[in-house]
Amino acid sequence: MGEESRVSFSHEPVLLDEVIESLAIKPDGVYLDGTAGGGGHSSAIAARLTTGRLIAIDRDPEAVAAAGARLAPFGDRATVVRANFSEMERVCASLGIGALDGVLLDLGVSSHQLDTPERGFSYISDAPLDMRMDPASPLSAADVVNRYPKEKLEKIIYEYGEEKFAQRIAARICEARAEAPIGTTGELVAVIRSAIPAAALRAAEHHPAMRTFQAIRIEVNGELDVIEPTVRSAVSLLAPGGRLAVITFHSLEDRRVKQ
């Protein structure tokens, strides 16, 4: 990974003080950061350990490389593993860890993924339709947009994007792809704009493609499906008195975590 990617990963981690306070870190404790990102939260946890240990996992290879570089000064105190956070039980077993004193999950897309145009997450830059957090995953945004039946597209956009114009957008996507496959984020944004009434576009508080892009990204990465089993795994791994801290960014994630 290039130096530019590492720099873009080094932003101030979100809710850092709240995370540290919530985890109540013990210097000799064992902690797992299920979404290492650039290692911002992980490095703050590791810095508070003496004889303890931190396991940082992420499914994005660029995140693993960035977190590995940032955590290198901590030596054996910090271990970085490429895996989905839903695999934390397997990861802990492979490392001989039976219980954790704290687990952190930072759900959703990272700022690095959004800020890297070629990853295809952003509706601001034109890039190939991708949106895969793990580039090795078989399903991409292009597959969803160009292959899903209209009814399934509408359901995803309505439920995962909470988009009231889901029916119009799904229909317009199907019309456009019948002429030629939709291959880039810019093409998809144009299709979405064409489906939304002019009055709604003028009154919109957010980018008109925001909700649809969120919906497609959630579908591509199975983000909501893994929340419940991951939270259950985390709780089952906690030692007595252990803590689980979860950062959510929208109501769909928040609802599932709380339930």
Side-chain angles (χ1 to χ4, degrees):
M1 181 179 65
E3 187 61 32
E4 183 179 345
S5 294
R6 285 189 183 166
V7 170
S8 66
F9 253 123
S10 63
H11 70 290
E12 182 68 22
V14 66
L15 297 171
L16 181 60
D17 292 341
E18 291 84 351
V19 164
I20 297 303
E21 180 182 353
S22 297
L23 290 175
I25 297 165
K26 300 184 293 186
D28 61 347
V30 182
Y31 296 87
L32 184 141
D33 183 350
T35 37
H41 291 121
S42 290
S43 60
I45 295 169
R48 288 163 172 79
L49 303 177
T50 52
T51 57
R53 186 176 183 187
L54 168 72
I55 313 303
I57 65 178
D58 206 294
R59 60 170 143 174
D60 185 332
E62 291 186 4
V64 170
R70 190 159 183 177
L71 295 172
F74 298 105
D76 293 341
R77 259 186 293 165
T79 303
V80 183
V81 179
R82 182 180 174 186
N84 191 311
F85 53 42
S86 64
E87 303 174 280
M88 67 174 69
E89 290 183 88
R90 176 188 63 77
V91 171
C92 287
S94 70
L95 296 171
I97 295 171
L100 299 166
D101 294 292
V103 175
L104 169 63
L105 301 173
D106 185 357
L107 303 181
V109 67
S110 74
S111 62
H112 170 78
Q113 289 163 337
L114 286 173
D115 294 341
T116 307
E118 59 268 25
R119 299 295 295 272
F121 284 97
S122 176
Y123 41 77
I124 304 300
S125 305
D126 192 22
L129 267 178
D130 194 327
M131 301 194 197
R132 291 174 294 178
M133 293 180 182
D134 180 351
S137 297
L139 184 69
S140 72
D143 297 324
V144 172
V145 169
N146 291 296
R147 297 180 185 176
Y148 275 26
K150 182 169 72 71
E151 293 74 17
K152 190 171 182 180
L153 268 178
E154 180 184 335
K155 186 173 188 288
I156 288 167
I157 296 168
Y158 181 74
E159 293 184 1
Y160 294 170
E162 299 180 297
E163 170 60 73
K164 64 181 178 180
F165 297 114
Q167 185 176 18
R168 295 172 64 111
I169 292 169
R172 186 69 192 95
I173 286 173
C174 292
E175 291 171 8
R177 75 188 189 188
E179 298 175 12
I182 300 170
T184 71
T185 53
E187 290 171 10
L188 180 57
V189 167
V191 171
I192 294 167
R193 280 186 180 276
S194 72
I196 297 176
L201 286 174
R202 288 193 297 270
E205 295 180 6
H206 304 289
H207 192 286
M210 184 186 77
R211 294 180 181 277
T212 300
F213 268 62
Q214 173 183 293
I216 295 169
R217 190 201 80 222
I218 287 172
E219 172 68 12
V220 167
N221 296 289
E223 293 174 37
L224 297 179
D225 296 337
V226 299
I227 290 177
E228 181 181 343
T230 299
V231 169
R232 291 187 183 279
S233 291
V235 171
S236 70
L237 284 166
L238 289 178
R243 295 190 174 197
L244 168 63
V246 186
I247 300 173
T248 63
F249 287 94
H250 53 75
S251 59
L252 298 173
E253 293 172 343
D254 193 55
R255 197 176 303 133
R256 281 164 170 77
V257 171
K258 288 174 177 174
Q259 286 173 347

